[in-house]
Amino acid sequence: MPRGKKGKRGSGKTGSLRQEVLQLQLNKTLQKGMRNGAKGESGTSDEELTSDVLSHYSSASEGTSVVDDGNGSEQVDESTAQEEMEDKLKQCIDNLMDKSAKTRLAALESLRQAFSSKVLYDFLAERRFTVSDCLERSLKKGGGEEQALAATVFTLLCIQLGGGDEAAEGFKMLRPMLTTILNDNTASITARQSCARALGMCCYISAADDGEDLVKSLALLEGVFKSSYPNKEGTLPTPKPGVPGLHGAALQAWSLLVTLCPTSRLTVLLDLHLPKLQACLESSDVNFRITVGETIALLVELGRDIDEDFDVDGIDELCNSLKGLATDGNKHRAKNDRRKQRSIFREVLHYMEGEEFSEEKIRFGVESVYIDSWTRSRIYDAFKDILESGISLHLQYNQLLRDIFGLGAPIIIDAAVRANKISRFEKHLFNSAAFKARTKQRKRVRDKRADIM
């Protein structure tokens, strides 16, 4: 209905509330005019004054009808904003083929920010081959910075597309190039780190049901971080600048994929890697030491899932090393590094001594996700590292993350409900259901893949 008609609809009814209000305002205005002598001075008639007042309030009524139609205008604004955003993304994709390296880098950074802060499945599903082709070109011909950004954007693309065929097709296309860069000792360290993370995350997302791809990715990542293992004499190698960061990234990607392994494969990995990882706790790089400590805790947790009585060979020696790191006061190390190291290794030590994992509750919107094991911690940290501040939005609306963390379908809350807080009882019911779902997750995932490998 046109706004003008909507504003006049109630005014023609005798005795309506609107007419009574207008009449009261009219009487006040007439009385004021009479007191001030305005009528005699200006020669304005009662009818003219009445017409002015009615005209004024009629305009106000029409203005109110515009507010009533505000939802429609908001929808138009959202639609326009969506179209403008998609146009910018299309331009960024076009710029990936530009001759200027500066232009390509700017386009990759814009895509990285957009992919991490928004859910764009519909837009990207139609353009996945185009985007993958452009990223492959950057990986092949770009410099170190461009390669690193391209690998990160590709990881985000897989997260956007989810665990279906779309992501698997992209991973199959770019995996050879990611592998080549990771194994190239002459390539940029930063690029190799990004490729290690991309291989781990993209395999976790898109090739997790493929036992052959999983084994290949594990072996590839092992070949990188094993360079930090002690030699035959038991001496740790002296790392070159930047190498501990690369080995740490490869170890984190590897440990993410380990969470997918069935029991038969896990047993082999535990026997092979736990003793050598214990030696790496003496590494000179604080971040690599922390990654090693977290990986040891994760492997022990997986071993205890297989056998409740599982224990590490040389547990007393391991606990002594962990105690030293948990109380390290070496003044030669940065204060923040010492604080971070002590915090992590206290948690690892307590877990080794038989205590439970310290549960953490992550809130987003009206929901929460519980980090109640080293396995879930590794998975959550992997997604947080790549999504950064966009992790909360993806937990709310990205179906891939919601499936991984057992959150179910996205909860859509309209404006009326959003204005009211959810009750504590409703939160309790929701969290109870989420707890039951996540306790079944790890066993279900392993049973699904046990026959594959």
Side-chain angles (χ1 to χ4, degrees):
M1 178 180 290
R3 286 178 296 188
K5 291 183 180 180
K6 185 174 180 180
K8 294 179 181 178
R9 185 169 57 184
S11 60
K13 294 181 181 180
T14 306
S16 69
L17 178 61
R18 178 178 179 278
Q19 187 167 351
E20 292 176 7
V21 172
L22 291 176
Q23 189 61 48
L24 285 172
Q25 295 289 346
L26 174 63
N27 291 341
K28 289 180 181 179
T29 305
L30 289 174
Q31 291 171 4
K32 183 178 179 180
M34 292 175 66
R35 284 198 304 268
N36 295 335
K39 180 178 178 181
E41 294 174 7
S42 62
T44 305
S45 65
D46 289 350
E47 290 79 10
E48 290 173 338
L49 190 56
T50 301
S51 177
D52 290 339
V53 174
L54 290 176
S55 176
H56 171 74
Y57 284 97
S58 176
S59 298
S61 177
E62 290 182 5
T64 302
S65 69
V66 173
V67 175
D68 292 341
D69 291 344
N71 290 336
S73 65
E74 286 179 5
Q75 292 176 358
V76 172
D77 290 342
E78 289 179 3
S79 177
T80 303
Q82 180 72 14
E83 290 177 1
E84 290 177 354
M85 181 197 69
E86 291 185 358
D87 287 340
K88 291 178 181 178
L89 289 175
K90 290 175 186 177
Q91 185 60 53
C92 287
I93 294 171
D94 290 340
N95 287 345
L96 294 179
M97 302 300 290
D98 196 270
K99 292 182 180 180
S100 169
K102 184 177 180 180
T103 302
R104 295 196 304 272
L105 284 171
L108 285 168
E109 178 60 24
S110 296
L111 291 176
R112 185 194 68 78
Q113 293 178 8
F115 290 4
S116 62
S117 62
K118 300 180 184 298
V119 176
L120 303 165
Y121 174 82
D122 293 333
F123 175 83
L124 291 173
E126 300 174 357
R127 299 167 177 83
R128 63 185 186 277
F129 292 117
T130 302
V131 177
S132 296
D133 285 340
C134 294
L135 295 176
E136 185 179 27
R137 183 180 182 276
S138 289
L139 289 170
K140 283 182 178 179
K141 300 182 179 181
E145 186 179 0
E146 185 175 344
Q147 288 176 327
L149 262 178
T152 300
V153 172
F154 176 65
T155 308
L156 290 167
L157 176 64
C158 286
I159 294 174
Q160 290 279 351
L161 295 176
D165 293 337
E166 294 93 343
E169 290 169 350
F171 183 53
K172 185 177 180 180
M173 182 187 303
L174 267 69
R175 177 176 177 164
M177 201 64 235
L178 294 171
T179 301
T180 299
I181 296 172
L182 179 59
N183 287 331
D184 185 0
N185 292 327
T186 64
S188 161
I189 289 288
T190 305
R192 295 177 70 191
Q193 281 183 244
S194 292
C195 288
R197 293 192 186 99
L199 280 165
M201 178 62 78
C202 295
C203 182
Y204 181 85
I205 293 170
S206 59
D209 292 329
D210 189 332
E212 184 178 353
D213 277 350
L214 184 56
V215 170
K216 286 181 179 178
S217 297
L218 285 167
L220 178 64
L221 294 164
E222 282 177 19
V224 176
F225 68 77
K226 281 169 64 175
S227 300
S228 287
Y229 282 177
N231 56 28
K232 294 180 180 180
E233 290 75 26
T235 305
L236 291 176
T238 302
K240 297 179 181 179
V243 169
L246 170 62
H247 291 179
L251 182 57
Q252 287 177 334
W254 178 83
S255 61
L256 176 66
L257 295 182
V258 166
T259 64
L260 300 175
C261 291
T263 300
S264 58
R265 185 68 183 174
L266 274 175
T267 304
V268 175
L269 294 176
L270 292 173
D271 292 340
L272 178 62
H273 290 284
L274 268 177
K276 296 177 181 178
L277 284 171
Q278 291 180 49
C280 291
L281 290 173
E282 302 300 324
S283 171
S284 59
D285 185 86
V286 62
N287 291 317
F288 185 67
R289 285 198 304 273
I290 289 172
T291 300
V292 169
E294 291 174 331
T295 303
I296 290 173
L298 170 63
L299 293 177
V300 172
E301 179 181 79
L302 295 173
R304 290 175 179 174
D305 286 343
I306 298 171
D307 180 2
E308 291 184 359
D309 297 327
F310 174 84
D311 211 346
V312 183
D313 291 337
I315 185 65
D316 293 335
E317 183 181 349
L318 173 60
C319 287
N320 287 334
S321 297
L322 294 174
K323 286 178 182 177
L325 293 167
T327 57
D328 184 13
N330 193 330
K331 299 298 183 180
H332 295 291
R333 297 191 178 114
K335 186 176 181 180
N336 289 337
D337 289 345
R338 294 200 306 271
R339 185 185 298 115
K340 182 180 179 181
Q341 175 180 283
R342 289 196 295 263
S343 174
I344 295 295
F345 281 104
R346 276 197 298 268
E347 292 291 332
V348 176
L349 176 62
H350 292 163
Y351 183 76
M352 291 298 168
E353 292 175 339
E355 296 186 21
E356 294 294 325
F357 180 89
S358 299
E359 184 178 277
E360 182 181 4
K361 182 178 181 180
I362 309 295
R363 295 188 178 187
F364 55 96
V366 298
E367 302 173 85
S368 301
V369 62
Y370 288 86
I371 308 303
D372 56 1
S373 66
W374 290 102
T375 298
R376 286 174 73 85
S377 177
R378 176 81 289 270
I379 296 169
Y380 177 79
D381 287 345
F383 280 101
K384 185 179 179 182
D385 287 345
I386 189 70
L387 292 169
E388 297 178 347
S389 60
I391 182 69
S392 296
L393 181 136
H394 281 266
L395 283 170
Q396 284 181 277
Y397 302 114
N398 188 316
Q399 192 59 56
L400 171 68
L401 270 71
R402 296 189 68 83
D403 288 343
I404 289 172
F405 290 100
L407 296 170
I411 298 176
I412 307 300
I413 304 177
D414 59 28
V417 176
R418 194 180 294 116
N420 300 316
K421 289 185 177 179
I422 187 169
S423 69
R424 289 186 177 181
F425 180 66
E426 289 172 323
K427 283 184 179 180
H428 172 71
L429 291 178
F430 178 83
N431 292 332
S432 297
F435 175 79
K436 291 179 181 178
R438 71 175 179 268
T439 54
K440 299 177 182 178
Q441 179 187 21
R442 196 178 310 148
K443 183 177 183 301
R444 184 173 64 247
V445 170
R446 292 212 185 97
D447 289 345
K448 182 179 179 183
R449 299 180 177 89
D451 296 332
I452 297 176
M453 298 178 64

